[in-house]
Amino acid sequence: MDRKRISEIIGLIHKEVKPALGCTEPIAVALAVAKAMEILEDRCGCRTSGWRMDANPDISVEVSGNILKNGMGVGIPGTGMVGLHIASALGAVCGKTEYGLEVLHDLNPEAIEKAKELVSGGKVRVGLADTGHKLFVKANVSLSEGHKASALIEDDHDNIVETWFDDIVLNKSVSSTEDAQEDKSTRDYGLTVREILEFADTVPFEDIRFILESRDLNLALAKEGLASSYGLRVGHTILSEKYRQVFGSDFMSYAMAMTAAASDARMAGCTLPAMSNSGSGNQGITVTMPVIAYSLKYDVNDEQLARALVLSHLVAIHIKGYLGKLSALCGCVIASTGAACGIVYLRGGTYGQICAAIKNMIGNITGMVCDGAKVGCALKVASGVSCALQSAVLAMEGICISENDGIIEKDIEKTIRNLGEIGSKGMQTTDNMILDIMVCK
């Protein structure tokens, strides 16, 4: 593999694997509001210490159905509250776009109280946008002096595509990670599973050492989830001595618990960041934690772990490219498929066995629906990990779902495309129905 191609793939990893503080849908809303506030600060000459705490802005946010669905029931870091209203208010009070998906990095008790005041005072409105974009956020912020600023995010959680001041369009702006590759979609990179494996096997370790930050961030979340009573306590319960006779003390239970615990913490509003994948913190957790758990249990060195994490991340990114950032298909399906590949890799598996693991996964849990981001996601994450380990073990034994079964084809790339077609097109009615049910409860 030549140096240019290596650089392209590393650029793709940097584009799709980023730290994120809080669920990325409400965080995208906070980011858009923060951008609008920064425009007001700059244009109105009010960038002074404490200005935001004294301001009393009116905030109006329009979002796509998938953003609304994924933001309704998820915990917002440090607040004890859920939803897009408090996320919007926090973006106005303390959000900084320079932090990207960690826009609420400067969260503090004073900011939380101010944000709660804005919400309780009716200063924040959130509505459904009329848009064809699955990922769409438009934030409008007005001051009592009459000035107004807006920011629009489309297609990627941190992709600010347009801004306005007093209804005048400003220069086009994109996310803080702007580079020449930012305009390329994931599918434009032309990845295949074979090339992903070649990259993971041959790329110099120093070029991918950065991926170990996935371990550092997501393992910290897992430990926090096990130590405290977050969400449904899925991870904590699986590892509990009380239920040892049910779950046992094997690696599967350990991997399920570690992964679910990280999701428990994140979805319930933990203030630690996750390393995301394809715009989702839960996907980042699910694609990495089973691989990290294996490395801890079986003393895998940093280089082998980095190569396995690169493989698992890239497989998930590759599959996700056929689905889009948000869909009716739960991202756990894609992320746990990546994790299955990482486990096969650490066990010395071949290209054929990695393909078998992917086919086993697609033939197993395809169809798991996304009904919004919430604490219950930890249950889906645990299920995905269980399926990933089953699929990996079967693949290592030379067992693979036949191309005569369902949507599985002999060619792995066709199989992946079939999954993408089902998730992006076939489940559109399902997506609409889920949203209707959620907003009418």
Side-chain angles (χ1 to χ4, degrees), residues 50-56 93-94 108 110-112 114:
W51 173 77
R52 291 201 193 184
M53 289 297 171
D54 295 330
N56 198 30
V93 174
C94 66
N108 59 69
E110 185 183 8
I112 292 171
K114 173 65 176 180

Side-chain angles (χ1 to χ4, degrees), residues 46-112:
C46 49
R47 189 180 283 276
T48 59
S49 177
W51 173 77
R52 291 201 193 184
M53 289 297 171
D54 295 330
N56 198 30
D58 282 299
I59 304 164
S60 174
V61 181
E62 302 170 72
V63 299
S64 57
N66 286 83
I67 292 287
L68 187 65
K69 179 180 74 173
N70 283 334
M72 289 174 63
V74 68
I76 307 303
T79 66
M81 298 175 68
V82 300
L84 299 180
H85 287 77
I86 187 64
S88 302
L90 286 170
V93 174
C94 66
K96 290 184 179 179
T97 59
E98 65 188 85
Y99 296 136
L101 294 179
E102 294 183 275
V103 60
L104 301 183
H105 181 273
D106 290 343
L107 191 69
N108 59 69
E110 185 183 8
I112 292 171

Side-chain angles (χ1 to χ4, degrees), residues 361-377:
M361 288 295 292
I362 292 176
N364 186 355
I365 58 173
T366 294
M368 181 186 288
V369 298
C370 172
D371 56 342
K374 58 204 174 302
V375 293
C377 288

Side-chain angles (χ1 to χ4, degrees), residues 305-374:
L305 175 59
R307 295 186 185 282
L309 288 174
V310 159
L311 176 73
S312 57
H313 271 300
L314 281 172
V315 167
I317 291 166
H318 176 43
I319 298 173
K320 192 69 174 174
Y322 289 94
L323 283 158
K325 285 293 190 291
L326 299 173
S327 72
L329 185 68
C330 179
C332 167
V333 176
I334 291 87
S336 53
T337 299
C341 295
I343 296 295
V344 170
Y345 183 84
L346 287 178
R347 293 184 65 83
T350 64
Y351 168 72
Q353 289 167 324
I354 287 171
C355 291
I358 296 172
K359 291 180 181 180
N360 290 344
M361 288 295 292
I362 292 176
N364 186 355
I365 58 173
T366 294
M368 181 186 288
V369 298
C370 172
D371 56 342
K374 58 204 174 302

